[in-house]
Amino acid sequence: MATEYGQGYGLDGGPGYPGSTERRHRLPAALRAPVEGRTWRELGHVLLSLPISILLFTYAVTMVSLGAGLLVTFLGVPVLAAALAGCRGFGALERMRARALLGLEVAEPEPLRMRKPGVMAWMGAVLKSGTSWRALLYAVLHLPWAVFSFAVTVNVWALGWGLLTYPLWFWVLPMYAGQDGVQLYGDETHRIYLDNPFEITVTALVGLLFTIATPWIVRALTMVDRLLVHGLLGPSRLASRVVELESDRGVVVDTAAADLRRIERDLHDGAQARLVGLAMDLGLAKEKLREDPQAAARMVDEAHGEVKTALRELRVLARGIHPAVLTDRGLDAALSAVASRCTVPVQVEVDLVERPAPAIEGIAYFTVSELLQNISKHARATWAGVEVWRTENRLMLQVVDNGVGGADVSRGSGLAGLAERLDAVDGILVVDSPAGGPTRVTAELPWRGAHVR
């Protein structure tokens, strides 16, 4: 994973930096760019790339060639492993340089995986690691690009500032070089020099254009460096996917554990407590049955009411685990039942030709259920709508209300937990909730067909 920070900051800091002032907005970005700190850092990166890439290319080609030549003997294997290990070390330095000068944050690639300790195991891990070979490829590919970007940057930069400052130094030419100014054109019989005030002014203006354009040219060149560092020196897509799946698995495990604790708490504090009280009341009624039949009848009647309450709580708890209507009749009926319990009128539209997998269907149900509960508790809305449809291989959900708005996933509310649950199955949650409303929450889930029910 790679992220880039520091976008748009200059001499006085950037957006969100303490102490940044409105002065940085007085000039357009094109005029600020030549003197911004970011521009000078990118220039430094390009200038350093040439000597570093020469050193890296020389090391890589020499060591790999030596190792390949020695493969006929046992010495070739350790030399080749050392070459790849050195390239990995250079890759770490390049990631640090990209972080410091380009503002590019690249995650560490996957470490070496050795089944057992020892030199032989280490050499085998280095030779088998895709990270090692990508670092070698970076060492080979970066030199031609570094030469090209260095040549373009130095020439454009020197041309721009040289022409821009021409009015300050043109007098040196007639005084010490024996010519009237910079020669624009010349042959055996005719020469044109930039020596009068108009030509000097035009030269400076042309230099100003080059000076303004140079930072953007350098920025475009460093984009290739960013791509090379990110693509070859960062973790592979497979490794990134493994890390993401491990994180998602942790979220799923934590969510399941939290749900089990909630169910246990609800059973202990709700239905279980009522059933214990019911057993005690029935025991007392049994003792009073012969002595005071009327009191026993009242106690049985009260116990009957407790039974109804306990059954109602158990139905609510079972609905929270997985409602029977969802299993029997699908999302349309289940969401209509949820909408009927909402405190505001809800219009439900489900456009699905077939049903998704039970797991996806359950996540969709509980997502809409939680969003409708948020509307009931916080939105102060008078109307809400739920839409469910399929787009190619994605299941789309959208919940809209005309409430006060202001919902924000980043505040760590229930929406954040909902977003984590969706992310655990490669889902996405997008919240559009400006202050004053309306609020539109869109959820996207992977479509997985219902193979077995």
Side-chain angles (χ1 to χ4, degrees), residues 210-227:
F210 272 97
T211 302
I212 292 175
T214 298
W216 305 101
I217 295 174
V218 174
R219 196 159 298 175
L221 294 173
T222 55
M223 285 301 299
V224 178
D225 291 274
R226 290 179 171 93
L227 292 175

Side-chain angles (χ1 to χ4, degrees), residues 97-177:
R97 187 165 70 97
R99 184 183 305 115
L101 298 178
L102 299 182
L104 182 68
E105 191 71 33
V106 180
E108 295 288 331
E110 57 272 20
L112 294 177
R113 299 183 180 274
M114 296 186 293
R115 296 183 178 179
K116 56 183 180 180
V119 177
M120 297 299 295
W122 176 82
M123 289 191 295
V126 171
L127 293 173
K128 293 178 182 179
S129 172
T131 301
S132 304
W133 295 100
R134 290 199 305 273
L136 173 63
L137 183 62
Y138 175 87
V140 175
L141 294 181
H142 193 252
L143 177 61
W145 175 251
V147 172
F148 173 78
S149 59
F150 181 91
V152 172
T153 299
V154 170
N155 282 280
V156 175
W157 196 279
L159 179 63
W161 284 101
L163 295 180
L164 178 63
T165 59
Y166 184 57
L168 302 178
W169 58 267
F170 82 96
W171 56 271
V172 174
L173 297 175
M175 181 172 294
Y176 296 103

Side-chain angles (χ1 to χ4, degrees), residues 51-273:
I52 291 176
S53 62
I54 292 175
L55 176 63
L56 181 55
F57 181 87
T58 303
Y59 169 84
V61 171
T62 302
M63 291 293 291
V64 171
S65 300
L66 179 62
L70 293 175
L71 281 178
V72 294
T73 68
F74 178 74
L75 294 177
V77 175
V79 171
L80 190 57
L84 294 177
C87 290
R88 290 175 67 104
F90 275 112
L93 294 176
E94 284 295 272
R95 288 193 299 272
M96 293 174 58
R97 187 165 70 97
R99 184 183 305 115
L101 298 178
L102 299 182
L104 182 68
E105 191 71 33
V106 180
E108 295 288 331
E110 57 272 20
L112 294 177
R113 299 183 180 274
M114 296 186 293
R115 296 183 178 179
K116 56 183 180 180
V119 177
M120 297 299 295
W122 176 82
M123 289 191 295
V126 171
L127 293 173
K128 293 178 182 179
S129 172
T131 301
S132 304
W133 295 100
R134 290 199 305 273
L136 173 63
L137 183 62
Y138 175 87
V140 175
L141 294 181
H142 193 252
L143 177 61
W145 175 251
V147 172
F148 173 78
S149 59
F150 181 91
V152 172
T153 299
V154 170
N155 282 280
V156 175
W157 196 279
L159 179 63
W161 284 101
L163 295 180
L164 178 63
T165 59
Y166 184 57
L168 302 178
W169 58 267
F170 82 96
W171 56 271
V172 174
L173 297 175
M175 181 172 294
Y176 296 103
Q179 64 183 44
D180 295 336
V182 172
Q183 182 175 319
L184 184 63
Y185 170 79
D187 54 25
E188 296 179 356
T189 59
H190 186 64
R191 291 179 177 83
I192 298 177
Y193 295 99
L194 303 175
D195 54 358
N196 61 60
F198 175 75
E199 293 172 347
I200 293 173
T201 302
V202 172
T203 301
L205 292 176
V206 173
L208 177 62
L209 295 178
F210 272 97
T211 302
I212 292 175
T214 298
W216 305 101
I217 295 174
V218 174
R219 196 159 298 175
L221 294 173
T222 55
M223 285 301 299
V224 178
D225 291 274
R226 290 179 171 93
L227 292 175
L228 287 174
V229 173
H230 176 233
L232 297 178
L233 300 182
S236 64
R237 291 186 177 181
L238 178 59
S240 300
R241 183 59 176 164
V242 169
V243 172
E244 182 182 353
L245 290 177
E246 289 178 349
S247 175
D248 291 345
R249 182 182 62 183
V251 172
V252 171
V253 171
D254 293 342
T255 301
D259 288 340
L260 287 175
R261 289 193 299 269
R262 176 183 57 83
I263 294 171
E264 181 182 8
R265 183 179 63 251
D266 291 343
L267 284 172
H268 183 272
D269 298 340
Q272 181 180 348

